[in-house]
């Protein structure tokens, strides 16, 4: 199935962000409508660490480039090219930057979570790379992206795949959190041991595990 066939009949269901000259740095603001930048778009998740805004009036002016919670946003530029995530719901609307693409799928036929996983899959990424331009940093145009193909099983199977992938992603994130916590604990222990704040008691060289590790 061609990529753009996911859309319902909305003229802005599959559309790119504004031209660079239509939204410049001088129109950025400390509050208002958040602009989704490339830094926010990760493979399968939205990162809100980087935030810039524009005024409500400017967002209204760029209404065709507005994007809403539950939509899919795709990055036209690497790294990697054509990565995608679902727009979060911490605001009523957002504005895409110039290198974003809005994809609003027909939810009666397609499962949004499945579509995001499929876009981030290796077979789709390979198509995107092969249809991109640039040498130092790849970029894919809207017309090229529109022609890419994606694998679509029946709706029920889409949902099952999405559920399984979501559980796996949640488990991976939980394990990452554990690793981060253990890393912090390890750094703290290393600090107190190596600065002598805590003395290590060594009965003898034979029973000292460190001497075994070091071959002493």
């Amino acid at each position: 199935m061609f990529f753009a066939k996911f859309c319902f009949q909305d003229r802005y269901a599959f559309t790119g962000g504004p031209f660079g000259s239509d939204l410049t740095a001088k129109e950025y603001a400390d509050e208002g409508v958040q602009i989704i930048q490339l830094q926010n778009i990760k493979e399968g998740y939205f990162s809100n660490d980087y935030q810039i805004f524009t005024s409500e009036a400017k967002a209204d002016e760029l209404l065709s480039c507005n994007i809403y919670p539950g939509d899919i946003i795709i990055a036209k530029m690497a790294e990697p090219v054509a990565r995608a995530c679902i727009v979060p719901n911490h605001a009523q609307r957002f504005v895409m930057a110039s290198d974003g693409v809005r994809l609003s799928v027909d939810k009666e036929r397609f499962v949004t979570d499945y579509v995001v996983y499929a876009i981030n899959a290796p077979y789709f990424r390979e198509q995107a790379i092969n249809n991109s331009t640039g040498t130092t940093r790849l970029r894919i145009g809207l017309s090229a992206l529109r022609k890419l193909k994606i694998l679509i099983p029946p709706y029920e199977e889409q949902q099952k795949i999405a559920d399984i992938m979501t559980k796996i992603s949640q488990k991976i994130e939980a394990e990452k959190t554990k690793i981060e916590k253990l890393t912090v604990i390890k750094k703290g222990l290393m600090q107190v041991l190596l600065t002598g704040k805590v003395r290590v008691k060594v009965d003898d060289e034979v029973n000292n595990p460190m001497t075994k590790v070091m071959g002493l």
Side-chain angles (χ1 to χ4, degrees):
M1 170 177 286
F2 286 110
F3 186 65
K5 297 294 184 181
F6 291 117
C7 309
F8 59 81
Q9 298 304 311
D10 179 337
R11 61 181 297 191
Y12 299 131
F14 186 73
T15 188
F19 291 109
S21 59
D22 290 337
L23 181 61
T24 62
K26 67 180 182 181
E27 293 165 310
Y28 294 168
D30 294 330
E31 58 183 16
V33 179
Q34 186 173 353
I35 303 169
I36 298 182
Q37 300 279 75
L38 287 174
Q39 297 94 318
N40 303 122
I41 308 170
K42 305 299 182 182
E43 287 187 88
Y45 70 96
F46 183 92
S47 173
N48 205 34
D49 294 339
Y50 184 82
Q51 297 183 15
I52 60 172
F53 302 84
T54 193
S55 67
E56 294 280 350
K58 188 63 182 180
D60 289 342
E61 182 182 326
L62 298 173
L63 192 61
S64 64
C65 302
N66 281 201
I67 188 167
Y68 304 91
D71 286 343
I72 297 171
I73 186 164
I74 306 164
K76 291 195 288 187
M77 289 188 69
E79 180 68 35
V81 67
R83 64 192 180 278
C85 68
I86 296 176
V87 176
N89 60 2
H90 63 261
Q92 292 184 344
R93 64 168 174 166
F94 302 80
V95 174
M96 295 184 291
S98 59
D99 288 309
V101 174
R102 179 191 179 206
L103 174 62
S104 182
V105 303
D106 181 350
K107 293 180 175 60
E108 293 185 0
R109 301 171 58 203
F110 308 106
V111 177
T112 303
D113 285 329
Y114 171 83
V115 175
V116 171
Y117 287 123
I119 293 172
N120 288 316
Y123 80 92
F124 188 87
R125 180 66 41 72
E126 183 177 359
Q127 291 182 74
I129 291 172
N130 291 338
N131 287 273
S132 295
T133 58
T135 53
T136 57
R137 196 177 189 192
L138 293 178
R139 186 180 189 279
I140 189 167
L142 189 65
S143 59
L145 188 61
R146 187 186 300 274
K147 296 176 183 178
L148 301 187
K149 293 184 178 181
I150 197 166
L151 300 174
I152 293 295
Y155 186 91
E156 293 75 13
E157 190 172 343
Q158 291 179 49
Q159 188 63 66
K160 290 179 181 178
I161 293 172
D163 291 343
I164 292 170
M165 294 298 294
T166 298
K167 289 179 182 178
I168 293 173
S169 297
Q170 290 172 345
K171 185 172 180 59
I172 290 172
E173 289 304 313
E175 293 300 320
K176 285 182 179 178
T177 301
K178 288 182 182 178
I179 291 172
E180 290 172 358
K181 290 180 179 179
L182 290 173
T183 300
V184 171
I185 293 172
K186 178 185 176 182
K187 288 181 179 178
L189 289 174
M190 292 289 287
Q191 177 69 17
V192 296
L193 290 173
L194 296 178
T195 57
K197 293 180 180 179
V198 174
R199 302 291 296 176
V200 179
K201 183 178 179 181
V202 180
D203 294 330
D204 53 64
E205 291 185 356
V206 175
N207 294 321
N208 183 0
M210 187 58 69
T211 61
K212 297 179 180 179
V213 172
M214 298 177 67
L216 300 176

